[in-house]
Amino acid sequence: MKLNFEHLQSAHCENGVTRSLLKNIGIAQITEPLAFGIGSGLFYIYIPLLKINNGPVIAFRPMPGLIFKRTCKALGIPVVRKKFNSKQDAEFFLNECLAAGHAAGCQVGVYYLTYFPKEYRFHFNAHNLIVYGKEDDYYLISDPVMENSTVLSSYELERVRFAKGHLAPKGQMYYPKKGSAVTDEQIKKAIIAGIKKNVQDMLMIPMPVAGVKGIKYTGNKIKKWRDKLGLKQAGLYLAQLVRMQEEIGTGGGGFRYIYAAFLQESYAYHQIDDLMEISKKFTESGDLWRTAAVQAAGIYKGRIGSEEDFNVMGDYLLEIAEIERNAFIALKNIKWR
Amino acid sequence: MLAKERVVQRSVDGVSKYTSGISANALAAYSPDLRFAGSPSLRFAKRGSKKIFGSMKKEEVPQDLSALGKITKEVCYATDNSGKYVTELSKGWEIKITALDAAWQEVDGRIAAAKQKVLNNEASPLLFFMEKGLMDISILAGYTGFWKWQVKMHLKPDVFKNLSEKKLQRYAEVFNVSIDDLKNRSVHEA
């Protein structure tokens, strides 16, 4: 059985799943940047003391699942979401969904994802894909970061849906219920809600490690990494930062470019000139994130590595924090009509 | 005016398109042999035709073939001539490729260290298989269904020696090897 489903490629898996699932139920206006912005997808957090793949835990986006949840909520679309304890139940429920005509999003781990290149297969459990049919023993898969749709055998799908480790997916699946169409008025409201929530996440979380304060915090930490960790370990930490920032799914510059695109698209709904101006600020921030990545690469490749080089690296992040702080304050002060 | 335009103005020749969005300092940092050269950007351009630096202009999205790029290109967001954001496919970016390489070198180092520990009888062969599977104790505990403290115990050679076949089987299944291989630390390159 194969549902009528069009595979769309996106930069980020969760945006992509959100956009494709919505399009599948007839809501075609939501582009990837809109899904990202309405879902308040821009974030930053540095979690001290915890480690992933023996490096620091740094995230440029909120917890997996939030973008989909917030976007659907803001647009008034009811969502079905389920986690499972038993593998049989998980497969049974998925088959039921498909039979009822719902393509479903699944949270999966990347380590056993057979169509990914070996080099990318770490124990990372926050990937998302869409299942849109089953033929014999093979599930039809639309993975938004891939150019083409693909397949997984039922065993392979079960293995990735029940990956273990941090953020274990526990077979989690979700889909939006078919409902009425979404009006421009609803999108307008959703954009405002998304931006407000994002301002809150980036400016007002009372912790030094989250939001723009977190970027500043990381910048100051980096300056001490060389002494504290030694050159080699510090280089690996920076490599981890760059991977979180640029690897599959961020659209470049740690999602900052997607957010800039979102603000541009918002202008079509709200003719407020500030949106276009602030969009440029995020472009600037994305550029600076990439400049910082180049500096980091110099260090983890061993071409540079003096105390001064780490200070320059840290200062980039302080500068970024300042740009983003001003950008979000400007967003906060927009007078919505 | 955008930050990258400032940089473009500073550049003297056609190579500016490779470096827009990236400050001159970072250029020099990435390639220190250029730091003292008279016309750094020009020499930089002649180092192969490959673009090392990315930026946010559509035609400047980096196209350095990565492991992922051989299988699929990835979507990047960049601006067109009018400054409007559009999507562009990228084969990869040198900076990301080397970050991934660094991560894998670290993994290889850990596997080699684990191997040595097993040979020195400081750890059970499970440590080697765990590192080879890129796991840590909590991930291994998740896949085998043991508690973390149990896995920690099993990593000790003396405890491992006395493990029942049944328990060994659980590890063998996760690592996709036979019990014999597990005991002898040999790995099937399946």
Side-chain angles (χ1 to χ4, degrees):
Chain A
M1 150 203 40
K2 183 177 177 182
L3 300 177
N4 185 17
F5 185 87
E6 183 196 352
H7 172 74
L8 298 167
Q9 195 188 7
S10 303
H12 182 240
C13 62
E14 198 178 334
N15 304 338
V17 165
T18 306
R19 161 201 185 204
S20 292
L21 287 178
L22 290 182
K23 189 163 184 209
N24 195 43
I25 59 165
I27 301 167
Q29 308 101 301
I30 304 299
T31 59
E32 173 172 16
L34 280 179
F36 182 74
I38 292 174
S40 313
L42 203 71
F43 195 49
Y44 183 89
I45 190 162
Y46 174 102
I47 305 176
L49 304 174
L50 201 63
K51 293 212 173 144
I52 279 187
N53 299 324
N54 305 303
V57 181
I58 294 168
F60 286 82
R61 58 140 188 201
M63 289 285 283
L66 274 183
I67 295 177
F68 178 76
K69 189 175 152 190
R70 289 169 176 167
T71 304
C72 289
K73 195 177 168 202
L75 295 171
I77 301 162
V79 170
V80 176
R81 179 188 292 274
K82 232 170 144 52
K83 277 189 182 184
F84 303 88
N85 285 321
S86 127
K87 293 175 180 175
Q88 287 76 24
D89 287 355
E91 184 168 2
F92 180 76
F93 192 78
L94 177 61
N95 291 341
E96 293 271 282
C97 274
L98 293 174
H102 302 292
C106 288
Q107 186 191 340
V108 299
V110 170
Y111 186 69
Y112 288 113
L113 206 53
T114 40
Y115 55 79
F116 258 36
K118 191 182 161 293
E119 291 85 342
Y120 282 80
R121 285 163 59 181
F122 286 84
H123 292 276
F124 171 73
N125 288 333
H127 189 59
N128 293 274
L129 50 76
I130 297 170
V131 184
Y132 67 96
K134 191 181 184 189
E135 280 171 357
D136 300 326
D137 192 39
Y138 284 92
Y139 283 97
L140 309 178
I141 307 289
S142 164
D143 186 325
V145 304
M146 306 291 286
E147 274 179 286
N148 301 307
S149 58
T150 170
V151 294
L152 287 173
S153 72
S154 52
Y155 170 68
E156 287 166 345
L157 183 62
E158 176 190 295
R159 204 155 57 154
V160 293
R161 288 181 73 194
F162 284 90
K164 299 294 197 296
H166 294 291
L167 302 171
K170 291 188 176 156
Q172 174 157 220
M173 53 170 289
Y174 49 88
Y175 63 87
K177 279 192 188 157
K178 282 181 185 131
S180 49
V182 167
T183 62
D184 282 0
E185 201 50 44
Q186 273 177 302
I187 295 179
K188 272 174 113 164
K189 277 191 182 151
I191 286 172
I192 300 177
I195 289 178
K196 281 189 173 164
K197 175 78 188 138
N198 223 144
V199 167
Q200 218 175 39
D201 282 356
M202 288 299 282
L203 294 181
M204 297 189 226
I205 294 180
M207 285 194 293
V209 294
V212 294
K213 277 179 284 182
I215 301 173
K216 198 173 153 194
Y217 179 89
T218 314
N220 286 325
K221 277 265 169 197
I222 286 173
K223 294 184 183 181
K224 295 176 196 150
W225 276 358
R226 188 176 184 272
D227 279 347
K228 207 174 145 207
L229 304 166
L231 191 53
K232 186 163 178 278
Q233 193 66 17
L236 282 169
Y237 273 35
L238 289 174
Q240 176 109 330
L241 171 74
V242 170
R243 284 173 55 217
M244 294 300 138
Q245 177 193 321
E246 295 293 331
E247 266 312 344
I248 334 174
T250 72
F255 296 103
R256 271 59 189 168
Y257 293 153
I258 299 189
Y259 203 73
F262 159 68
L263 292 176
Q264 281 191 354
E265 289 188 20
S266 299
Y267 185 77
Y269 291 92
H270 296 274
Q271 278 74 34
I272 298 174
D273 293 340
D274 286 355
L275 285 173
M276 295 304 263
E277 283 309 307
I278 301 167
S279 167
K280 284 181 194 163
K281 287 283 167 207
F282 282 102
T283 302
E284 196 183 325
S285 163
D287 286 346
L288 208 50
W289 274 113
R290 285 168 78 84
T291 306
V294 174
Q295 173 79 2
I299 293 171
Y300 58 70
K301 286 188 86 174
R303 295 205 185 160
I304 54 174
S306 70
E307 196 64 49
E308 182 53 31
D309 295 324
F310 276 84
N311 284 339
V312 170
M313 180 70 203
D315 284 337
Y316 278 132
L317 266 67
L318 299 188
E319 198 180 337
I320 290 166
E322 200 48 34
I323 293 174
E324 293 191 7
R325 198 171 72 88
N326 289 330
F328 276 106
I329 287 174
L331 280 177
K332 191 181 168 193
N333 292 336
I334 285 184
K335 298 268 177 288
W336 301 102
R337 282 176 291 234
Chain B
M1 175 181 280
L2 301 177
K4 64 186 186 54
E5 287 171 301
R6 293 201 300 270
V7 182
V8 175
Q9 284 172 352
R10 233 185 283 147
S11 306
V12 280
D13 49 54
V15 78
S16 63
K17 70 175 179 168
Y18 296 135
T19 59
S20 58
I22 306 289
S23 83
N25 268 346
L27 268 176
Y30 187 76
S31 178
D33 49 319
L34 305 178
R35 223 179 274 185
F36 308 107
S39 175
S41 43
L42 186 66
R43 270 185 59 189
F44 177 75
K46 285 180 179 167
R47 278 181 43 194
S49 58
K50 140 176 109 169
K51 296 178 196 176
I52 297 187
F53 299 102
S55 173
M56 42 69 71
K57 278 248 161 110
K58 188 174 186 294
E59 57 278 11
E60 292 153 14
V61 166
Q63 301 291 351
D64 311 322
L65 188 61
S66 69
L68 184 71
K70 288 172 199 157
I71 292 168
T72 184
K73 289 183 201 160
E74 53 184 311
V75 171
C76 285
Y77 279 76
T79 51
D80 65 11
N81 286 333
S82 65
K84 185 177 175 298
Y85 267 95
V86 290
T87 59
E88 178 72 7
L89 290 173
S90 164
K91 285 186 217 159
W93 189 28
E94 168 81 15
I95 301 296
K96 299 201 296 195
I97 297 170
T98 48
L100 194 57
D101 286 348
W104 278 102
Q105 272 169 21
E106 158 80 356
V107 168
D108 289 343
R110 294 178 71 89
I111 295 173
K115 205 171 184 172
Q116 198 53 48
K117 269 191 166 173
V118 177
L119 286 175
N120 297 349
N121 209 28
E122 290 164 28
S124 79
L126 289 180
L127 181 71
F128 170 79
F129 286 99
M130 183 176 95
E131 292 293 355
K132 196 163 172 17
L134 311 182
M135 297 182 184
D136 57 23
I137 288 171
S138 73
I139 296 175
L140 184 53
Y143 276 107
T144 54
F146 291 116
W147 296 99
K148 275 202 269 185
W149 61 267
Q150 288 179 299
V151 175
K152 251 181 227 170
M153 292 297 285
H154 299 165
L155 286 172
K156 295 181 180 169
D158 295 341
V159 179
F160 179 78
K161 251 181 249 161
N162 298 322
L163 279 186
S164 68
E165 288 277 305
K166 215 172 150 189
K167 285 184 175 161
L168 286 175
Q169 186 59 37
R170 276 157 81 172
Y171 283 110
E173 272 171 26
V174 170
F175 296 132
N176 199 21
V177 294
S178 71
I179 293 183
D180 268 354
D181 291 333
L182 199 61
K183 285 179 174 163
N184 301 318
R185 200 188 41 79
S186 57
V187 185
H188 275 305
E189 289 301 332

